[in-house]
Amino acid sequence: MAKPRKPKNEDPKPENSGALVHHQKLCLSIDLHKRLVYGYTELEIAVPEIGIVGLHAENLGIESVSVDGEPTEFEYYPQQHQQQAEDDDRRWSSVDSPASAADAAGSVYLSALEKELVPNLLINCCKPAKAESEQLEQQPVSENGFHSSAEPKQNVRVVRINYWIEKAETGIHFKDNVLHTDNQIRRARCWFPCIDDSSQRCCYDLEFTVAHNLVAVSTGSLLYQVLSKDNPPRKTYVYKLDVPVAARWISLAVAPFEILPDHQFSLISHMCLLPNLSKMRNTVEYFHSAFSCYKDYLSADFPFNSYKQVFIEPEMAVSSMSLGASMNIFSSQVLFDEKLIDQTIDTRIKLAYALARQWFGVYITPEGPDDEWLLDGLSGFLTDFFIKKHLGNNEARYRRYKANCAVCKVDSSGATALSCSSSCKDLYGTHYMGLYGKIRSWKAVAILQMLEKQMGPESFRRILQTVVSRAQDKTRSVKTLSTKEFRHFANKVGNLERPFLKDFFPRWVGSCGCPILRMGFSYNKRKNIVELAVLRGCTASQTSSTSALDINPNTENRDGDSGWPGMMSIRVYELDGMYDHPILPMAGEAWQLLEIQCHSKLAARRFQKPKKGLKLDGSDDNGDVPSMDVRSSTESPLLWIRADPDMEYLAEIHFNQPVQMWINQLEKDKDVIAQAQAISTLEALPQLSFSVVNALNNFLTDSKAFWRVRIEAAFALASSASEAIPHAVAMVRAADKKSPREAIEFVLQLLKYNDNNGNPYSDVFWLAALVQSVGELEFGKQSILLLSSLLKRIDRLLQCDSLMPSYNGILTISCIRTLAQIALKLSGFIPLDRVYELVKPFRDLKAMWQVRIEASRALLDLEFHLKGIDAALLLFIKYVQEEPSLRGQLKLATHVMRLCQMKEGPSSNDEISSQNLISLLCLMEGRMAFNNVFLRHYLFCILQVIAKRYEFVYF
């Protein structure tokens, strides 16, 4: 059988096949009781000149293949994952150190990723010359609009594949009376033959036959249902998706779902199993607001004819969210009832983000791998707009500030360069996994928000409206967006000048690193000016590489000192008011000395009485100037100074000003970011003076202040002897670095006398935080006597939670975590074997998924601190092989990678046996890792961390 040709770079056809799918039909019959799926798929394919079509198929039994109704030859090469145990020693004989294991892991990972790109179902679509000429003469013009000018010359064939699913291990999953698919990268092939490539997009007809009491939910619009005359009867659900999408976005869920139509929009449906119906009804009550928010902002209708939200049990879900065209599958862990308010914000944001991804990511797709950042950023930008409109400006700004801080901390290597063609292609989609995936998403949003600041919100909105309007134009078959096109829109619609854009995109998108600004000032009383000194640096190192899988990178390094386009604003708060000075150039000399003219004069200003109704809560109106008093200094008209107050730059800023000016900023500035920055600086002081403690305490007790910033104030106060919330109290330390007896008694009393009677809402999150605060305590010789009382309270909570399980088992999880912390801190008082036996029963497979994983993590911690990293790795391999859930496997791998990063304890000089290294390699190339791409990625990361190759790892 001939091998399909690799097309040229300029050829728009996918690299992996040379064929182009115009349309695909999928008809499956599903038997949940027998765990059996069988049927056929039919593809309208433009066949390449070679006459061979290459498709992807895995875990499938191929019964027969036909082309235009005639049987044809085919070759099928499923991947082989099972290795002979006796061959392991021979195959990995060179692995005798962490470095050699890391090399082998890189080779195994790259080989696996590259193999996945190669079609493994090769179909002969050649016809005799006579039949081919007759077909070309009779071939009508296709109705789908693909490449109309070239279509008379296209060799379009209908390929039908009859198959069954041989092993439903990945891509599609069975559990009890539920079946569902997931959208793991390159795993659509595990439940239907396709060209499993994001560049291949087509429309679909879908038919699923199930038992009459089940509901089959899939992508597209439900056209009709057909009830058979079989005994017992079966029902066929017929869907049509008339928007071209990649195979990855085809989703299916089958179960006895309860269906809840949305009370505002008829095209929206919410579905779950019966036990979760009341929770779902409470959770999605708001959802119409997110739907209408996006619809109004984009001035366009939802791109699909329907939208379904499906909630399945947490243990079944591969991740908390699985995207599909016109539908999303969520873990029911996000659902909550009316008594639980703590989960509200996170769930609403998660559902809103999933909806935003329907617009940008599923409907409108990136033109190439180096454009993925743009669609990821636009969906995050849209989510932030929803947060600002419906959860408040404070919530949106605070989240963005924290995300920007995280980006600046991590954006130090080529791993965070968003649009580097070579790295994006070489990483095969793995760059969006783990922590770096989140960092890249946050960075993408921050960059788009910087552009919005430059051009104005209305201009940026018009760009998004233009992008969506263009995609919804029925005369256009392509619904992609590239960085180049977006840059063009920024110029033509956003009115940003080309020289600015020419610098902006290469610096922010094409390279890594954020500016670091260190600032200090002095006030010149004679000239009445502020002299501001600035030193600019970059978070990225000079030797940053761009590929995490390239063990010997040879890439062009960006100059971290080249600067960034634009001017940063300095905001000065004076006695007479607030003044903005956009005078700090972000390019040019690294050292800058600037002069800022003050407007207030000391001689003319003695005292100003504060206005009534002053708010300290950082209310949504950030533009008002707070009333001032002359408490800062008799030698200066300055109250406080801020750099980049509107977050126009993604930058790490270190500003040096007197303590009193930070106190002024905390007490008088309405912006939550200003308040958070002030608290962070005051907390870092070597010693907290009375004025600082008083300012923090006043802010903490002000019920009008934003609650997230108040929590930060509480933790800042933990370094002093002031009262605070329980966790902060538990972190208070006396001179001997132990917890004061009063702090321990305070926590004990809260546990002992906690009473939720009269409160209409659940206090389970409060109790969980209270229990975790026990783990933060440090016991001295006197306070150790209180330990037994605390342990009795924890034991009592465990018993209560076993009888009446808390929301997602969070109370039991807190107890397990705290017991492990206490055991590690007080190993001299508490036999660790006793704690091990106490925690071990929670690993039972019948236990709640979250509880089982927390118990496993606790036992891994004990093993690590008792016996070292080698023993912990051995236990991890055992646990991960026993763990049935894909999410559980990922959680364990993530935890072990953190243990490998730790330097403390017996593991610091602990040698890892070659047998453990080989076992990790075998696990990485085995079927379990193929079924769980996230587990495979983290196994690669673990082996790199063990070898101390942090620069090659996407955590």
Side-chain angles (χ1 to χ4, degrees):
M1 181 73 65
K3 186 177 181 182
R5 276 192 316 189
K6 210 170 188 180
K8 298 178 181 178
N9 291 336
E10 64 270 14
D11 194 337
K13 296 177 183 177
E15 292 181 2
N16 67 349
S17 168
L20 180 67
V21 179
H22 288 184
H23 184 274
Q24 186 161 0
K25 182 178 182 179
L26 183 60
C27 299
L28 296 178
S29 181
I30 299 166
D31 189 327
L32 288 184
H33 180 68
K34 296 180 180 179
R35 298 169 64 91
L36 180 64
V37 179
Y38 60 92
Y40 71 90
T41 186
E42 211 169 65
L43 305 93
E44 291 181 18
I45 304 181
V47 179
E49 293 179 8
I50 197 172
I52 304 297
V53 167
L55 302 180
H56 297 106
E58 202 64 54
N59 293 350
L60 305 178
I62 307 298
E63 182 180 309
S64 63
V65 179
S66 63
V67 176
D68 292 338
E70 297 292 329
T72 190
E73 296 177 345
F74 68 93
E75 293 182 6
Y76 180 36
Y77 305 98
Q79 292 198 35
Q80 300 296 323
H81 302 286
Q82 301 296 333
Q83 302 290 343
Q84 297 296 325
E86 58 267 21
D87 292 341
D88 289 346
D89 292 336
R90 178 177 58 82
R91 292 176 60 248
W92 304 116
S93 59
S94 61
V95 175
D96 57 0
S97 67
S100 59
D103 290 340
S107 175
V108 167
Y109 200 11
L110 278 172
S111 175
L113 292 170
E114 289 170 351
K115 282 181 182 178
E116 290 176 4
L117 300 182
V118 180
N120 61 340
L121 175 58
L122 304 180
I123 301 171
N124 185 358
C125 294
C126 296
K127 277 192 173 184
K130 181 179 179 181
E132 188 169 328
S133 62
E134 288 177 358
Q135 186 201 27
L136 288 174
E137 291 175 4
Q138 299 174 5
Q139 183 178 345
V141 177
S142 176
E143 296 179 358
N144 55 28
F146 283 95
H147 305 284
S148 57
S149 62
E151 283 194 10
K153 298 180 181 180
Q154 286 186 342
N155 183 14
V156 178
R157 303 290 173 84
V158 176
V159 176
R160 173 168 170 152
I161 304 168
N162 298 313
Y163 73 98
W164 71 92
I165 296 180
E166 200 168 47
K167 295 178 180 178
E169 296 176 331
T170 188
I172 190 166
H173 309 269
F174 287 94
K175 184 174 174 60
D176 300 329
N177 60 346
V178 178
L179 173 145
H180 75 96
T181 60
D182 67 64
N183 71 329
Q184 290 190 85
I185 188 169
R186 293 182 290 274
R187 292 300 177 267
R189 65 190 68 181
C190 294
W191 70 286
F192 66 97
C194 58
I195 297 183
D196 200 359
D197 189 303
S198 60
S199 64
Q200 275 278 7
R201 294 174 288 272
C202 69
C203 300
Y204 285 81
D205 287 328
L206 306 164
E207 296 181 12
F208 303 104
T209 302
V210 298
H212 71 282
N213 62 326
L214 299 177
V215 177
V217 190
S218 189
T219 49
S221 303
L222 178 62
L223 300 182
Y224 53 87
Q225 306 171 37
V226 178
L227 190 65
S228 74
K229 296 180 180 180
D230 299 337
N231 187 20
R234 292 171 63 77
K235 187 181 288 186
T236 299
Y237 291 81
V238 180
Y239 289 88
K240 184 176 184 62
L241 181 64
D242 54 7
V243 175
V245 299
R248 181 185 182 185
W249 304 126
I250 300 300
S251 296
L252 171 67
V254 178
F257 288 123
E258 296 291 327
I259 303 175
L260 180 67
D262 193 87
H263 60 88
Q264 293 282 342
F265 295 98
S266 59
L267 59 86
I268 302 176
S269 300
H270 316 282
M271 306 178 194
C272 69
L273 298 177
L274 181 59
N276 291 320
L277 181 58
S278 62
K279 287 183 181 179
M280 184 179 72
R281 182 178 286 109
N282 178 71
T283 302
V284 302
E285 187 178 14
Y286 89 99
F287 187 73
H288 64 90
S289 61
F291 196 84
S292 59
C293 174
Y294 297 162
K295 181 180 177 182
D296 294 342
Y297 181 78
L298 298 172
S299 297
D301 291 329
F302 186 64
F304 301 100
N305 294 326
S306 65
Y307 181 63
K308 288 86 66 178
Q309 294 191 127
V310 181
F311 300 90
I312 60 176
E313 293 305 310
E315 191 161 348
M316 286 197 67
V318 177
S319 60
S320 60
M321 175 180 66
S322 181
L323 296 175
S326 78
M327 71 176 284
N328 286 317
I329 301 175
F330 300 93
S331 162
S332 60
Q333 183 177 341
V334 303
L335 301 177
F336 56 92
D337 58 32
E338 65 277 359
K339 292 184 178 180
L340 203 74
I341 58 177
D342 308 70
Q343 185 66 30
T344 304
I345 292 177
D346 288 344
T347 292
R348 290 188 175 183
I349 292 174
K350 184 179 290 291
L351 299 187
Y353 172 73
L355 180 63
R357 287 289 287 171
Q358 292 290 321
W359 290 91
F360 300 109
V362 179
Y363 177 62
I364 301 174
T365 57
E367 185 175 285
D370 51 350
D371 301 312
E372 291 176 0
W373 76 272
L374 180 56
L375 280 302
D376 193 28
L378 288 174
S379 59
F381 180 90
L382 207 57
T383 307
D384 272 17
F385 178 77
F386 163 78
I387 296 172
K388 181 177 181 179
K389 186 173 181 180
H390 291 279
L391 299 179
N393 191 45
N394 289 339
E395 182 74 22
R397 281 181 63 78
Y398 184 85
R399 282 177 173 269
R400 180 50 39 204
Y401 168 66
K402 289 299 182 182
N404 286 4
C405 289
V407 172
C408 291
K409 187 176 181 180
V410 180
D411 189 12
S412 58
S413 69
T416 48
L418 296 180
S419 183
C420 182
S421 298
S422 59
S423 67
C424 290
K425 290 178 181 177
D426 292 345
L427 295 174
Y428 309 108
T430 62
H431 48 296
Y432 278 100
M433 295 181 183
L435 173 61
Y436 270 118
K438 293 181 181 178
I439 294 297
R440 290 171 64 90
S441 296
W442 290 338
K443 182 179 180 181
V445 177
I447 289 172
L448 292 175
Q449 289 182 336
M450 282 192 283
L451 282 174
E452 184 201 31
K453 295 283 186 183
Q454 291 290 330
M455 67 180 69
E458 281 305 313
S459 294
F460 193 85
R461 181 185 180 188
R462 283 198 299 272
I463 290 178
L464 267 61
Q465 290 172 345
T466 302
V467 169
V468 173
S469 175
R470 187 184 67 160
Q472 293 188 338
D473 184 353
K474 296 188 182 298
T475 62
R476 292 177 57 93
S477 60
V478 179
K479 305 179 189 304
T480 60
L481 180 64
S482 69
T483 304
K484 183 179 179 180
E485 289 172 322
F486 195 81
R487 179 172 165 176
H488 173 76
F489 288 140
N491 173 241
K492 296 299 182 182
V493 182
N495 295 319
L496 294 181
E497 296 179 354
R498 288 186 177 180
F500 171 82
L501 294 171
K502 187 177 180 181
D503 290 337
F504 183 92
F505 277 88
R507 191 64 188 91
W508 283 109
V509 180
S511 61
C512 60
C514 300
I516 302 178
L517 300 171
R518 291 178 170 86
M519 304 182 182
F521 78 95
S522 65
Y523 172 66
N524 188 320
K525 187 176 180 181
R526 183 175 62 85
K527 296 182 179 179
N528 196 30
I529 62 171
V530 173
E531 296 173 333
L532 183 69
V534 182
L535 173 62
R536 189 188 69 247
C538 181
T539 59
S541 62
Q542 293 284 330
T543 58
S544 301
S545 66
T546 59
S547 176
L549 294 179
D550 185 4
I551 304 301
N552 296 302
N554 183 20
T555 56
E556 179 184 353
N557 296 322
R558 298 278 182 177
D559 183 4
D561 296 327
S562 61
W564 290 262
M567 306 283 282
M568 180 178 284
S569 180
I570 306 297
R571 181 172 293 174
V572 181
Y573 291 82
E574 304 180 29
L575 296 175
D576 280 343
M578 176 192 78
Y579 301 93
D580 280 334
H581 305 271
I583 59 169
L584 175 58
M586 295 298 289
E589 293 294 329
W591 280 98
Q592 300 280 346
L593 184 61
L594 309 173
E595 292 185 351
I596 301 175
Q597 185 65 50
C598 293
H599 296 74
S600 305
K601 295 183 179 179
L602 289 174
R605 228 31 175 170
R606 294 282 181 172
F607 183 77
Q608 180 177 346
K609 189 175 181 180
K611 297 179 182 178
K612 294 182 179 180
L614 178 63
K615 296 181 180 180
L616 299 180
D617 62 338
S619 60
D620 289 355
D621 186 3
N622 293 316
D624 290 346
V625 181
S627 56
M628 313 296 181
D629 60 27
V630 193
R631 294 199 307 158
S632 57
S633 173
T634 57
E635 300 297 324
S636 167
L638 307 175
L639 294 170
W640 70 92
I641 300 176
R642 293 183 63 195
D644 192 28
D646 296 322
M647 283 196 299
E648 294 177 329
Y649 282 88
L650 178 59
E652 181 180 318
I653 299 174
H654 303 273
F655 197 89
N656 185 24
Q657 63 182 351
V659 172
Q660 185 57 51
M661 295 181 73
W662 286 114
I663 294 176
N664 290 347
Q665 181 170 318
L666 175 62
E667 293 181 338
K668 302 297 183 182
D669 205 313
K670 295 181 179 182
D671 184 17
V672 292
I673 296 176
Q675 296 163 356
Q677 289 172 336
I679 291 171
S680 176
T681 303
L682 294 174
E683 182 183 8
L685 294 174
Q687 187 174 0
L688 300 189
S689 64
F690 174 78
S691 60
V692 171
V693 171
N694 190 51
L696 289 170
N697 192 60
N698 288 341
F699 188 87
L700 172 63
T701 56
D702 183 5
S703 61
K704 295 180 180 179
F706 183 50
W707 65 279
R708 293 192 187 275
V709 187
R710 290 174 67 195
I711 290 176
E712 289 199 15
F715 281 108
L717 284 167
S719 56
S720 70
S722 301
E723 296 182 1
I725 62 176
H727 191 193
V729 170
M731 296 179 69
V732 173
R733 299 291 181 261
D736 61 354
K737 305 300 181 183
K738 303 295 182 182
S739 300
R741 184 182 178 92
E742 295 81 0
I744 299 176
E745 288 179 340
F746 175 74
V747 174
L748 177 59
Q749 296 301 312
L750 288 176
L751 275 173
K752 189 174 182 180
Y753 297 109
N754 182 69
D755 185 2
N756 199 43
N757 289 329
N759 183 4
Y761 302 107
S762 170
D763 68 341
V764 65
F765 278 87
W766 156 260
L767 269 177
L770 198 54
V771 171
Q772 288 188 47
S773 71
V774 176
E776 301 292 342
L777 295 170
E778 292 286 350
F779 294 89
K781 292 182 179 179
Q782 299 297 323
S783 57
I784 194 67
L785 300 174
L786 298 172
L787 178 61
S788 61
S789 298
L790 287 167
L791 292 177
K792 286 179 182 178
R793 292 292 156 187
I794 292 175
D795 183 59
R796 183 177 178 182
L797 289 173
L798 276 172
Q799 294 180 29
C800 292
D801 208 39
S802 65
L803 297 174
M804 298 179 62
S806 58
Y807 175 75
N808 291 331
I810 63 170
L811 193 52
T812 296
I813 289 171
S814 296
C815 291
I816 292 172
R817 190 173 298 162
T818 298
L819 285 172
Q821 283 181 288
I822 293 175
L824 293 173
K825 288 180 180 179
L826 301 172
S827 55
F829 292 89
I830 301 175
L832 292 183
D833 291 343
R834 177 73 184 93
V835 177
Y836 188 94
E837 293 302 320
L838 186 64
V839 174
K840 190 176 180 180
F842 292 104
R843 286 201 66 249
D844 191 289
L845 291 179
K846 295 180 181 178
M848 193 179 295
W849 168 80
Q850 299 94 325
V851 172
R852 183 173 71 245
I853 297 304
E854 188 58 41
S856 299
R857 288 194 287 207
L859 295 176
L860 285 169
D861 285 343
L862 294 174
E863 192 79 359
F864 170 71
H865 288 281
L866 272 176
K867 302 178 183 178
I869 189 62
D870 192 51
L873 285 172
L874 183 62
L875 189 63
F876 159 70
I877 294 169
K878 175 179 181 291
Y879 283 176
V880 80
Q881 289 174 334
E882 294 173 350
E883 177 55 42
S885 69
L886 274 66
R887 287 188 76 190
Q889 296 166 4
L890 173 61
K891 295 286 186 183
L892 292 176
T894 306
H895 187 70
V896 165
M897 191 179 70
R898 293 194 185 109
L899 293 182
C900 292
Q901 291 175 279
M902 293 175 64
K903 302 296 183 184
E904 302 82 15
S907 67
S908 55
N909 298 314
D910 188 22
E911 290 189 5
I912 300 174
S913 66
S914 59
Q915 188 56 50
N916 269 349
L917 294 173
I918 291 173
S919 296
L920 288 171
L921 286 168
C922 292
L923 190 63
M924 182 180 166
E925 69 170 359
R927 178 164 291 278
M928 176 179 284
F930 175 81
N931 294 341
N932 190 342
V933 298
F934 301 102
L935 172 65
R936 181 176 65 180
H937 182 76
Y938 273 89
L939 288 170
F940 164 78
C941 291
I942 287 170
L943 286 163
Q944 301 306 313
V945 170
I946 289 172
K948 304 188 187 304
R949 294 179 179 174
Y950 303 104
E951 68 272 22
F952 304 126
V953 176
Y954 288 124
F955 296 122

